[in-house]
Amino acid sequence: AGYLWGLPLAARGVLALVPVSVDRSLGQAALDGGGLYLAGSFVIDATPILTNSAGQLGGGVYITGSATVNLAGPATTIQGNSAQSGGGIYKAGSSDLDISGLEVANNSASQNGGGIFKASGWMQIGGATQIRGNAAQNGGGLYVTGDARITDSDVVSNSATQNGGGLYVSGNVGFRAVQVLSNTAQSGGGAFAQSGSLQGDHSSLVANIGDGLHAVGGYAQISNTTWSANTGYGVYVTGTAFVSLTH
């Protein structure tokens, strides 16, 4: 594998990285994209993105523009990166982001989205992606605005000092066959629903600290899902939120 040291990869156009390691532990980006700054169409596979930092957004990867970005694993690991928001990944622009089989682990944000911050566009996560051990003020694992779909993945052992240890939702998020386990927050250890809609089925919200789901606004419809061993409440509803639980 090749190594990129000392400056981020800033690219516009079409790029495939198979394989390469992006390790920037010796420095940091002043603003966005500590490891990779992507504005175009990209396929990134078998690429560890490790210990990078950004002054503002996207410690590991910053994505903008209007094209499609594919991040694929299992050898692709986004780990140990840091930023104000989007410690591992920050997704801006109108582009589509497709994440499959990735490991997003032990990243941190001083504000929102320790693992992933999705600000705009469409995002799909699947293929046994692991989002674990990330930390932030809100949305330790993921902070999602706009539209996203999560399937066949695990959100485990993430933490937030305020809301949404595993997942913070302020948009329209669907999930299926997702394990939300052992996450921690002041409110919404598993998931915190601020607004928009949260719709899921055949999943598990188990052993989270600070409620399994804490909903303060928007609409949540969840079916055929296991709720157990959460500290606080399994589901806590307040404000203008509407929640429907079915089997």
Side-chain angles (χ1 to χ4, degrees):
Y3 289 83
L4 301 177
W5 296 89
L7 75 164
L9 174 63
R12 297 178 183 273
V14 179
L15 174 70
L17 295 180
V18 188
V20 67
S21 178
V22 181
D23 185 328
R24 196 162 179 251
S25 58
L26 299 182
Q28 67 174 15
L31 295 176
D32 306 329
L36 300 176
Y37 184 108
L38 306 179
S41 296
F42 301 91
V43 176
I44 298 176
D45 193 1
T47 303
I49 301 171
L50 311 173
T51 61
N52 304 282
S53 62
Q56 292 187 6
L57 309 175
V61 183
Y62 179 90
I63 300 166
T64 188
S66 59
T68 299
V69 175
N70 294 284
L71 301 176
T76 297
T77 301
I78 298 177
Q79 184 168 342
N81 304 285
S82 61
Q84 285 186 7
S85 289
I89 301 170
Y90 189 97
K91 163 70 176 67
S94 59
S95 62
D96 293 341
L97 173 59
D98 189 354
I99 294 173
S100 180
L102 217 62
E103 182 181 33
V104 181
N106 303 320
N107 303 284
S108 63
S110 59
Q111 296 179 8
N112 302 320
I116 301 171
F117 188 116
K118 200 217 63 115
S120 57
W122 165 256
M123 179 176 71
Q124 179 168 298
I125 298 174
T129 290
Q130 301 288 311
I131 300 171
R132 61 175 179 81
N134 303 285
Q137 189 176 71
N138 296 293
L142 302 98
Y143 188 106
V144 178
T145 64
D147 300 330
R149 176 78 174 164
I150 307 169
T151 59
D152 302 307
S153 297
D154 295 337
V155 181
V156 178
S157 298
N158 303 282
S159 63
T161 57
Q162 294 185 6
N163 304 316
L167 174 65
Y168 185 108
V169 176
S170 181
N172 303 308
V173 176
F175 64 90
R176 181 180 178 87
V178 175
Q179 311 300 311
V180 182
L181 310 175
S182 302
N183 302 284
T184 303
Q186 190 175 67
S187 298
F192 184 90
Q194 174 67 40
S195 59
S197 68
L198 179 65
Q199 300 186 58
D201 63 273
H202 294 90
S203 296
S204 297
L205 283 90
V206 173
N208 300 287
I209 297 174
D211 310 328
L213 167 65
H214 188 115
V216 300
Y219 173 78
Q221 182 177 20
I222 300 174
S223 63
N224 298 302
T225 289
T226 300
W227 307 82
S228 66
N230 295 291
T231 301
Y233 297 92
V235 180
Y236 185 91
V237 182
T238 186
T240 60
F242 177 83
V243 175
S244 172
L245 305 177
T246 59
H247 292 286

